[in-house]
Amino acid sequence: MAINNLAALEERRQHLNQVLAEFGSPNFQLIELTIFLSHLLTANNNSLLSAYFTEFLPKYSTLLKNYSPFGIDPLQTESIYSIAEKYLKTVNEEAVNNELSFSITKIKNQFDELKKILEGGTSESSTGNCLLFPVLEKSDDDKYFFGFLETITISISKRISLTEDTFVVVPDFGQSDNRLNQQIQSSWDFAKNYFAGSIKASKHFHEVVIRFNKKYGIYEGGSFGIALTIGFIQELIRFYNLRDVVTLGSNIASTGSVNEKGEIDSVGVESIEKKVEAVFYSKVQRFIIPFSDLATATKRINLLHKKYPKRELEIIGIPIISDLIDRRSLVSIKKQNIIKWGAKKTLKNKLSIALLVLLVFTSSYFLVKDFDDNPVGIDFQSVPGIGFVKNKLGKTLWEINEFPVPGKEYAPSHYFKNKFKIFDTDGDGKNELFLCEVGRSGTLFCLNSTGSLKWKFDYRRIVETPKEKFSDFYRIHMIVDIIKNNGVNELIVAAQEAHHYPNPILKINAATGELIDDSFWHPGGIQGALVKDIDNDGKLEVVAAGNSNGKKSAFVFSIEYDKLNGTAPTIKNYTFLNQQVADFDQYILLPKTDLSFFLTEKYNSTVNSPHIEETKQLIDIKTIEDIVGYRNYPLEIYYDFTFDFSDVRITIPEGFVYKRDSLVRSSKLDMPLTGTSEYKEKLQRNIQRWNGKEFVQMFPQNVEMNEGTISIQNK
């Protein structure tokens, strides 16, 4: 349509009037006005612009003044204010010019704040301690979609004339949505039942007023159920002067309907995708959603992160409202001062002073019991990829998303053992959490007791061998331990070069995140390690296990903590330049078995960390000889060394025996059978140790046989 075609222009003007009359969404109206204004501006005809836009100017000015870029795709906002700036240049009337200038400046300032958030920054302003919820606006033809964040205000009173609890929704446009009404009733029933026994029965009923603060129009559906339920709980506490004080964290939003049992229901695939997008383009830092929608939301977040990879938004899946109430990182529940609260109750209910004193003594125990917010553990097994941070009572305080899911060769309890440590490093009585491998990054994180970041550490260094030069990117994949050394809490971690075998062990200041030492390097993967005085000489040793790339074999070593510098013995092409072999107490190779050679070209390795059996004074090492060797389970060999490494006990699991013996009987492997003393002697003769100059046979003589195991004396 040519812009100078007046008939077509008049038709568009009439259509715009119809849209403004029929559609209540302010953002939708502003977009339609912006499109119409853009067409007029392309004509470069001020007379035409004045004739066709003057009637819309008051509406346009009001919508522009009230517009917020939060919750909306930035491209849409850029279009709105760029057209407004072009129009401003044509406006001669000072009052109109000033009003439009003010609105454009406000939008651009807010837009700059949004861009800062999308680039990983934080907002200078807060959404406050109210629970927001995203509301979706869309046209009937789904041509446009907008999101904005709404809040509600609740007030409760009692009316003698009422025969039942009554709800008033503001604004009221004379239309009622059944789902919204049902959600109000369900949230109210849950909130009242939550305080069963705390609120005295009354013959009078409540009038509950629910105000949607932005008053954008008709509200439908029940996805504001989480916010409504928490709001009812807060207001009932205030109305009945209960001792609890419930405070929400800032910059938190939620979506999800809640039934009378407190169960949080899905909002659906399309709805959760659009609401995640609306929240993504906002100040919100944590978004609470139904647990059943977590997979869809995570997929949507990953898609949005391709455009804005630095945007920090935590998605929290919650199955039931009580789980949310128990999380101290989201909802703070504290008791009012017992004297002040008791005084108010005394005045209101004529409590005796004796009862007030009794309350002082009895409440202290329950205050600690019910509201402990100090993390002591993480549950990784309930939901793959998510860690639920727990207090000592087993209550979930908050959660950590994007943890890796271990392969089948790893028991989850063993795998995650070295992915985190919990320790009070600054002595304030609140534990810090140290985490690695979160979000598939190589970063080491330190979080405080509420889940806020204290510091993070990334390791960068270039090393070389005679054969090649490696990149400077390292992934910290294991937290070994935290020990106090010379008055400093040292965090011992293991890292690995992005795609190759250099593996340093690092010492980091647990309080500050600063690197203390990085002088030990291993030419192959360190799969696990521990720190312990295993020989009772008063000095700590580091015991580690993994695989040596140069020697193509599993290994285990022991070295004094203070001597942890240098590298491991290996062949020339795998030796790091300017590194000497470390002063090991023991460096032992556990070579591949004949079964492993038959099944895979890859060398064997250990799995998990060395395990200490205190009562037997043993160090347990487990090697993987093949990942999918028997019924899709790994083929393993167990080596149990004494603390001084003078003795070893080898155990051959049933799966290994079955697989190898079947190959022996079919003449694919040489005799002897696996359970015989001859085969077990062969295993023990293959073990080698470093004597300071070369690798030698560790157990050359004196073999004692037991059923299924072999005990070897190192003479």
Side-chain angles (χ1 to χ4, degrees):
M1 179 193 74
I3 193 65
N4 291 318
N5 185 333
L6 295 182
L9 191 59
E10 177 60 25
E11 182 180 343
R12 181 178 287 274
R13 186 190 71 82
Q14 292 177 7
H15 170 73
L16 180 58
N17 270 314
Q18 182 180 356
V19 166
L20 296 178
E22 293 180 358
F23 295 98
S25 164
N27 288 329
F28 178 62
Q29 291 179 349
L30 181 58
I31 282 291
E32 289 292 322
L33 281 165
T34 298
I35 293 171
F36 184 65
L37 179 57
S38 177
H39 279 286
L40 290 172
L41 289 170
T42 58
N44 199 25
N45 186 328
N46 286 348
S47 297
L48 193 68
L49 182 63
S50 177
Y52 278 89
F53 199 71
T54 300
E55 65 176 301
F56 299 114
L57 182 56
K59 182 72 171 180
Y60 177 73
S61 181
T62 299
L63 291 172
L64 201 65
K65 181 173 66 175
N66 294 325
Y67 178 79
S68 169
F70 296 107
I72 298 172
D73 190 317
L75 294 177
Q76 200 74 264
T77 298
E78 286 181 325
S79 173
I80 288 172
Y81 77 68
S82 63
I83 296 299
E85 286 179 322
K86 290 179 182 178
Y87 177 60
L88 182 64
K89 295 177 181 178
T90 70
V91 176
N92 296 319
E93 188 178 340
E94 184 177 357
V96 176
N97 191 293
N98 289 340
E99 186 174 356
L100 290 176
S101 295
F102 176 82
S103 297
I104 293 169
T105 300
K106 186 199 74 169
I107 292 172
K108 292 181 74 173
N109 288 340
Q110 290 180 336
F111 187 62
D112 288 341
E113 185 179 3
L114 175 59
K115 287 193 293 184
K116 178 182 176 182
I117 293 168
L118 294 174
E119 290 302 320
T122 56
S123 173
E124 295 177 0
S125 59
S126 170
T127 61
N129 296 106
C130 55
L131 191 56
L132 300 100
F133 56 95
V135 177
L136 302 179
E137 302 177 87
K138 63 178 182 179
S139 57
D140 288 347
D141 57 2
D142 287 337
K143 183 179 179 181
Y144 301 114
F145 148 70
F146 304 99
F148 68 92
L149 294 175
E150 178 64 286
T151 59
I152 51 176
T153 300
I154 298 169
S155 59
I156 298 175
S157 59
K158 282 192 174 182
R159 296 284 187 269
I160 297 176
S161 59
L162 295 177
T163 58
E164 61 181 4
D165 290 335
T166 304
F167 307 99
V168 178
V169 178
V170 180
D172 181 6
F173 292 92
Q175 299 183 37
S176 178
D177 178 67
N178 288 333
R179 290 176 299 163
L180 183 141
N181 292 334
Q182 184 179 356
Q183 181 58 71
I184 291 173
Q185 188 64 58
S186 295
S187 292
W188 180 251
D189 290 343
F190 177 86
K192 285 206 304 181
N193 290 333
Y194 184 77
F195 293 109
S198 299
I199 298 176
K200 291 183 178 180
S202 172
K203 61 182 179 181
H204 302 311
F205 292 93
H206 306 85
E207 181 181 72
V208 183
V209 179
I210 304 158
R211 292 180 175 85
F212 290 89
N213 294 324
K214 291 195 175 179
K215 304 181 178 68
Y216 267 11
I218 300 171
Y219 291 83
E220 300 176 344
S223 62
F224 75 130
I226 294 176
L228 182 65
T229 305
I230 296 297
F232 280 156
I233 289 172
Q234 287 179 304
E235 190 56 31
L236 282 169
I237 288 172
R238 282 191 287 266
F239 183 75
Y240 284 100
N241 192 26
L242 302 180
R243 193 177 166 218
D244 305 86
V245 177
V246 177
T247 307
L248 293 163
S250 61
N251 298 330
I252 299 176
S254 71
T255 189
S257 60
V258 179
N259 63 27
E260 64 278 0
K261 297 179 182 179
E263 298 166 337
I264 301 173
D265 296 327
S266 168
V267 299
V269 172
E270 181 182 6
S271 181
I272 197 65
E273 287 180 341
K274 290 181 176 178
K275 289 183 177 183
V276 165
E277 184 171 339
V279 170
F280 189 85
Y281 297 126
S282 76
K283 301 178 186 180
V284 169
Q285 296 172 332
R286 289 171 288 182
F287 187 27
I288 302 165
I289 66 170
F291 188 82
S292 54
D293 290 329
L294 186 58
T296 301
T298 302
K299 188 181 296 185
R300 190 65 173 181
I301 277 287
N302 291 339
L303 189 63
L304 291 166
H305 272 148
K306 290 181 179 179
K307 192 172 184 180
Y308 300 102
K310 296 181 180 179
R311 168 66 163 115
E312 295 183 356
L313 174 63
E314 181 182 4
I315 304 293
I316 303 170
I318 301 289
I320 191 166
I321 200 75
S322 58
D323 188 14
L324 169 60
I325 295 170
D326 287 337
R327 299 194 183 205
R328 293 297 159 263
S329 62
L330 302 173
V331 180
S332 170
I333 303 180
K334 297 182 179 179
K335 298 289 188 183
Q336 296 184 57
N337 179 280
I338 187 68
I339 303 298
K340 292 182 179 179
W341 173 78
K344 288 189 288 183
K345 297 292 285 186
T346 301
L347 290 173
K348 185 174 181 179
N349 300 320
K350 297 182 175 59
L351 285 174
S352 68
I353 295 299
L355 179 57
L356 181 58
V357 173
L358 179 62
L359 283 170
V360 173
F361 283 101
T362 59
S363 65
S364 58
Y365 167 75
F366 293 103
L367 179 62
V368 174
K369 182 176 184 295
D370 291 341
F371 305 113
D372 173 41
D373 58 359
N374 196 26
V376 298
I378 306 179
D379 168 21
F380 293 102
Q381 300 190 51
S382 296
V383 181
I386 299 178
F388 296 93
V389 179
K390 304 282 189 175
N391 66 9
K392 64 185 178 184
L393 301 173
K395 295 287 188 180
T396 297
L397 302 177
W398 37 281
E399 66 188 44
I400 308 161
N401 293 315
E402 297 188 78
F403 260 107
V405 178
K408 60 190 172 187
E409 69 270 26
Y410 297 98
S413 58
H414 289 155
Y415 178 82
F416 288 112
K417 181 180 179 181
N418 285 335
K419 304 304 178 189
F420 77 98
K421 293 292 178 187
I422 299 179
F423 184 78
D424 179 10
T425 190
D426 52 15
D428 65 350
K430 296 289 187 179
N431 289 329
E432 280 76 35
L433 274 74
F434 302 90
L435 303 159
C436 65
E437 295 214 325
V438 178
R440 302 183 184 278
S441 74
T443 303
L444 175 68
F445 297 94
C446 175
L447 309 180
N448 66 15
S449 60
T450 64
S452 297
L453 181 69
K454 289 192 70 171
W455 55 257
K456 62 181 180 178
F457 174 82
D458 290 290
Y459 184 65
R460 301 289 182 266
R461 180 175 168 181
I462 295 176
V463 295
E464 299 179 59
T465 66
K467 183 180 178 181
E468 56 190 318
K469 182 177 181 179
F470 302 96
S471 78
D472 70 342
F473 181 81
Y474 284 78
R475 177 178 62 89
I476 296 173
H477 65 90
M478 177 173 57
I479 302 174
V480 179
D481 208 341
I482 301 174
I483 67 165
K484 195 148 197 170
N485 189 32
N486 297 321
V488 176
N489 289 318
E490 294 183 353
L491 189 67
I492 303 104
V493 303
Q496 180 169 350
E497 196 267 354
H499 303 292
H500 301 91
Y501 58 82
N503 272 242
I505 292 181
L506 314 174
K507 299 177 183 178
I508 297 167
N509 188 316
T512 64
E514 297 173 331
L515 180 66
I516 296 173
D517 183 75
D518 64 345
S519 58
F520 179 84
W521 289 75
H522 191 271
I526 297 174
Q527 302 299 331
L530 58 88
V531 180
K532 181 179 174 61
D533 179 11
I534 59 173
D535 54 10
N536 294 317
D537 64 351
K539 299 177 182 179
L540 292 173
E541 282 81 35
V542 176
V543 181
N547 57 274
S548 169
N549 283 45
K551 300 302 290 184
K552 302 188 185 310
S553 173
F555 76 84
V556 57
F557 71 67
S558 170
I559 187 172
E560 287 186 12
Y561 181 76
D562 290 335
K563 295 181 179 180
L564 193 63
N565 57 75
T567 187
T570 186
I571 63 176
K572 181 178 179 180
N573 282 342
Y574 287 82
T575 301
F576 300 114
L577 298 183
N578 304 315
Q579 289 272 16
Q580 300 296 317
V581 174
D583 184 11
F584 292 100
D585 293 333
Q586 297 286 344
Y587 190 95
I588 299 166
L589 297 178
L590 307 171
K592 286 179 65 170
T593 63
D594 56 347
L595 177 59
S596 181
F597 275 109
F598 179 84
L599 294 174
T600 178
E601 295 181 0
K602 191 171 179 62
Y603 34 82
N604 64 343
S605 179
T606 64
V607 64
N608 299 324
S609 292
H611 175 67
I612 296 292
E613 288 191 59
E614 291 284 359
T615 56
K616 297 180 180 180
Q617 299 281 287
L618 294 176
I619 302 170
D620 300 339
I621 307 294
K622 180 170 67 175
T623 65
I624 296 289
E625 302 297 316
D626 186 58
I627 295 294
V628 289
Y630 176 66
R631 295 181 179 176
N632 289 326
Y633 283 95
L635 298 179
E636 303 166 337
I637 299 288
Y638 299 158
Y639 297 87
D640 299 332
F641 289 93
T642 56
F643 280 2
D644 61 0
F645 290 91
S646 64
D647 195 4
V648 67
R649 186 177 182 86
I650 302 173
T651 303
I652 305 175
E654 178 184 353
F656 186 99
V657 174
Y658 177 87
K659 184 70 175 181
R660 185 180 179 279
D661 283 356
S662 65
L663 293 171
V664 171
R665 291 189 177 98
S666 61
S667 300
K668 294 179 180 178
L669 286 180
D670 294 334
M671 293 287 282
L673 292 173
T674 310
T676 63
S677 60
E678 289 85 359
Y679 184 71
K680 295 171 185 177
E681 286 182 45
K682 182 179 179 180
L683 282 182
Q684 62 89 13
R685 283 197 303 269
N686 284 341
I687 300 175
Q688 296 180 305
R689 68 179 179 87
W690 177 252
N691 67 4
K693 296 181 180 180
E694 61 182 346
F695 283 101
V696 297
Q697 197 173 8
M698 187 170 187
F699 299 105
Q701 300 294 332
N702 198 12
V703 178
E704 298 175 5
M705 298 299 172
N706 293 302
E707 186 66 30
T709 66
I710 181 168
S711 179
I712 305 127
Q713 299 295 322
N714 183 17
K715 299 293 186 182

